[in-house]
Structure formats: C-alpha cells, structure tokens
Amino acid sequence: PSKQTIWIHGVSVGEVKAASSLHEFFKSSYPDYQLVITTSTFTGIKQAKASFPSAAYIGILPLDLKVFTNRFIQKVNPALFILCESDYWKNLLQNLKKHGCKVVLVNGKLSKRSFSRFSKFKRFSRVVFSQFDLICMQNQIYFDRVKQLVDSKNMVVTGNLKLDLVY
C-alpha cells in the first residue's frame, strides 16, 4: 500500500451499497488514507466499483483460513477494518487484531436464526464478537442479541445505514 489503509468489507450488493454512505466521510476526513473494499460476490464487486470509485483495491474476501487472511492483511496493512452488517469470520477478525488493526462493525445485525446458532457455541461467539473495538447495531433487537453473546461496553445502536442512502 502506498498510504495507510481503511479496509471495508460488505458481503454482497446490499452491504456494499450501505457502506457506500461512508465513502465521502472517509474521503474528506481521512484524505491520507486509501480505501480497500472486499466483498464475497461478483455482483458485490460491481457495486463496489460504482460506490467506491476512488478505492485503491476492490476484490473478493479471502477464504477464512489463517494462511490466506494473514497474507492478505500483510499486503493491505489496514489501520482500520470496517465490517458492514454481518459475515463474522473468526480467523480474519483474530488476524486483524494480531496485526494491530482496529476492528469495527457498522450496520450490524444478527438474525434470530444466526443468534440461535451462535448461542449454541457461546465460547466461539465470545471469541468472535470480542474482536470488535466498536459494535454499531441497526436496532435494539440486534443489540440485545449480541449483548447476550459478549459483554462489550463498546456497543451502540446507530440505526440502519441503508436508510441514509439517497436514491
């Protein structure tokens, strides 16, 4: 990377589009930083190219195996990682923290079905959610679900970024 990096990940089109509301903020507030955008789908890449035209890199998130995530993190060298909505990958989050990166969840959500799965593996869930330096949930229901999985003082309900978009 030629500059300090802010890495934003959105699973697919909707998450990337929601994260796009942050684009102008980062461009104006952090002009010395470059943006790296990842997604998990090819349609997400297409949306990222439209939503983040000044991004230094847009691509697919590597598989959640330590060797792949570690190699990608070393190349990107992020100072800040922003996860939009969900896609909670344990190895990725742990490797980011080991690298000294700040990790933030924006527009967070946790469906009833996902909460049920995470509840069955509380230790795993605690490890995953404790990696976040800040957790911003869409609503009180999602907030309460995550609060049952991890005791974090850095959680807040911020609303839904998708509602901030201007069409």
Side-chain angles (χ1 to χ4, degrees), residues 138-155:
Q138 289 181 20
N139 62 43
Q140 192 65 43
I141 293 168
Y142 297 147
F143 178 95
D144 291 341
R145 288 177 186 156
V146 172
K147 194 72 171 166
Q148 290 179 57
L149 300 173
V150 67
D151 185 27
S152 174
K153 292 169 184 32
N154 296 325
M155 286 180 57

Side-chain angles (χ1 to χ4, degrees), residues 52-70:
F52 296 93
S54 63
Y57 174 81
I58 295 172
I60 296 286
L61 181 73
L63 290 174
D64 193 42
L65 298 173
K66 285 185 181 186
V67 66
F68 296 133
T69 60
N70 212 23

Side-chain angles (χ1 to χ4, degrees), residues 7 61-81 87-104 124 127-133:
W7 175 8
L61 181 73
L63 290 174
D64 193 42
L65 298 173
K66 285 185 181 186
V67 66
F68 296 133
T69 60
N70 212 23
R71 188 176 301 148
F72 191 81
I73 291 166
Q74 287 174 352
K75 286 194 182 277
V76 172
N77 193 28
L80 173 64
F81 174 78
D87 213 13
Y88 308 109
W89 295 107
K90 179 182 172 277
N91 290 323
L92 172 65
L93 296 172
Q94 285 184 312
N95 282 343
L96 284 161
K97 292 306 292 178
K98 285 179 186 172
H99 187 76
C101 183
K102 294 290 183 188
V103 179
V104 175
F124 172 83
V127 169
V128 169
F129 287 100
S130 68
Q131 303 306 310
F132 291 101
D133 295 290

Side-chain angles (χ1 to χ4, degrees), residues 18 21 158-167:
S21 65
T158 56
N160 190 332
L161 283 174
K162 290 176 182 173
L163 301 178
D164 292 339
L165 295 175
V166 177
Y167 291 96

